[in-house]
């Protein structure tokens, strides 16, 4: 071995010592939930409110729970798009429905996809297809930038029939503030050739979800009903005037704002909300 060869050997050995060992393969049967970052990371428990605490969205809750239950039992189930107002329980409902299905004995895990890992979902599907378990792949607060044509095209392919389509034991759950997911603007209607083309193309993405549910901003009565429901569950008394003032200071009425107000009540009373 020459001196140069010896130097190169010692450099290679040093680099091997510095390099972290390869991550062990993810055990997709071991945990109730996972985060996908390009690799699977198990999560010990699903943080979600009890379904009974999610009030003001009874119809949406009934349909999501029924769909997730079917998936957990290995029956036909839909991909889901939950769209609409912020703070109305879209994400919490997905997590709570999965946790309830698991408590009922269903073979189901939740896999939440990190926002920067969305391009690698096809690799996730390839792993999940080999596992004897059902999975709900969850993309929270999905949105595509204006002019992004690659992301929506991949999503269409995952949903129905492309070579990257999700396997039979996997369904998608997506939350978004917009039903169309992609940005829309008035200029869509100004196409001199066919003013419907751009609009139809955007809406076609949402139409690929078998279950699409809207979540709308609260009326004052709905907001107070949610506050009373949360407070009653914790044995707390409600001052409606204070509850409304709380929402005014935050510029919104929603289930999230109602929960924050009840958390404040609980804290003032020296109580826990968990």
């Amino acid at each position: 071995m020459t001196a140069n060869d010896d130097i190169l050997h010692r450099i290679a050995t040093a680099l091997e010592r510095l390099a972290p060992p390869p991550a062990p393969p993810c055990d997709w049967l071991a945990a109730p939930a996972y985060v996908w970052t390009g690799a699977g990371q198990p999560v010990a428990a699903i943080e979600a409110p009890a379904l009974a605490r999610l009030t003001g969205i009874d119809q949406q809750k009934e349909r999501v729970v029924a769909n997730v239950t079917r998936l957990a039992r290995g029956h036909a189930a839909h991909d889901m798009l939950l769209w609409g107002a912020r703070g109305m329980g879209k994400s919490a409902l997905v997590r709570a429905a999965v946790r309830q299905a698991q408590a009922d004995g269903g073979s189901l895990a939740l896999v939440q996809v990190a926002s920067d890992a969305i391009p690698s979902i096809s690799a996730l599907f390839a792993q999940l297809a080999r596992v004897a378990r059902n999975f709900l792949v969850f993309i929270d607060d999905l949105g595509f930038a204006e002019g992004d044509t690659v992301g929506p095209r991949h999503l269409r392919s995952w949903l129905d029939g492309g070579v990257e389509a999700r396997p039979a034991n996997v369904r998608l759950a997506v939350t978004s503030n917009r039903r169309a997911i992609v940005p829309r603007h008035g200029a869509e209607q100004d196409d001199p050739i066919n003013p419907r083309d751009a609009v139809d193309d955007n809406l076609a993405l949402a139409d690929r979800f078998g279950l699409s549910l809207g979540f709308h901003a609260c009326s004052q009565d709905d907001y107070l009903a949610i506050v009373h429901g949360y407070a009653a569950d914790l044995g707390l008394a409600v001052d409606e005037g204070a509850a409304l003032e709380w929402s005014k200071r935050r510029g919104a009425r929603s289930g999230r704002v109602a929960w924050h107000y009840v958390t404040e009540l609980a804290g003032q009373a020296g109580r826990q909300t968990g």
Side-chain angles (χ1 to χ4, degrees):
M1 178 181 291
T2 68
N4 286 339
D5 289 339
D6 182 59
I7 292 172
L8 291 174
H9 176 72
R10 284 188 284 121
I11 291 173
T13 302
L15 290 175
E16 287 177 359
R17 287 197 300 267
L18 290 172
C26 183
D27 184 351
W28 293 107
L29 296 172
Y34 301 83
V35 173
W36 175 259
T37 60
Q41 301 177 8
V43 177
I46 296 176
E47 295 295 331
L51 282 168
R53 283 190 177 179
L54 296 174
T55 58
I57 52 171
D58 293 341
Q59 293 182 356
Q60 298 94 323
K61 180 166 63 174
E62 179 181 357
R63 297 184 69 184
V64 168
V65 168
N67 191 59
V68 170
T69 299
R70 291 200 297 266
L71 176 61
R73 294 174 178 173
H75 302 165
H78 296 294
D79 299 295
M80 300 185 294
L81 172 62
L82 280 55
W83 59 273
R86 294 182 183 275
M88 286 306 297
K90 301 185 293 295
S91 302
L93 177 54
V94 171
R95 298 193 305 272
V98 172
R99 193 171 71 173
Q100 184 61 55
Q102 292 173 343
D104 292 340
S107 176
L108 180 67
L110 181 70
V111 184
Q112 182 157 351
V113 177
S115 58
D116 58 352
I118 290 176
S120 67
I121 286 183
S122 296
L124 169 63
F125 289 163
Q127 293 189 30
L128 299 184
R130 300 191 294 266
V131 182
R133 192 180 191 185
N134 300 305
F135 296 91
L136 186 65
V137 172
F138 179 36
I139 307 175
D140 192 21
D141 198 21
L142 179 64
F144 297 111
E146 188 169 352
D148 180 1
T149 59
V150 175
R153 186 168 65 249
H154 279 308
L155 183 54
R156 292 187 186 97
S157 179
W158 297 332
L159 287 167
D160 61 356
V163 294
E164 299 175 323
R166 45 116 182 96
N169 62 328
V170 174
R171 290 296 179 270
L172 284 169
V174 171
T175 68
S176 175
N177 294 324
R178 298 182 293 261
R179 177 176 179 264
I181 304 177
V182 293
R184 298 181 61 194
H185 46 77
E188 290 175 341
Q189 300 288 351
D190 298 334
D191 186 333
I193 299 174
N194 188 339
R196 292 297 307 171
D197 280 353
V199 176
D200 288 345
D201 188 53
N202 282 348
L203 293 179
L205 182 55
D207 289 343
R208 281 170 165 77
F209 292 87
L211 185 60
S212 178
L213 299 170
F215 290 67
H216 307 292
C218 288
S219 67
Q220 177 172 298
D221 289 343
D222 289 339
Y223 167 74
L224 289 174
I226 294 171
V227 169
H228 280 291
Y230 285 153
D233 191 42
L234 298 170
L236 298 169
V238 172
D239 179 335
E240 291 191 349
L244 291 173
E245 180 62 27
W246 181 274
S247 69
K248 289 176 183 176
R249 289 201 301 267
R250 280 149 185 78
R253 291 190 296 261
S254 70
R256 180 182 298 152
V257 171
W259 178 247
H260 289 167
Y261 171 70
V262 172
T263 299
E264 176 68 13
L265 284 184
Q268 291 174 3
R271 302 274 299 280
Q272 287 284 342
T273 59

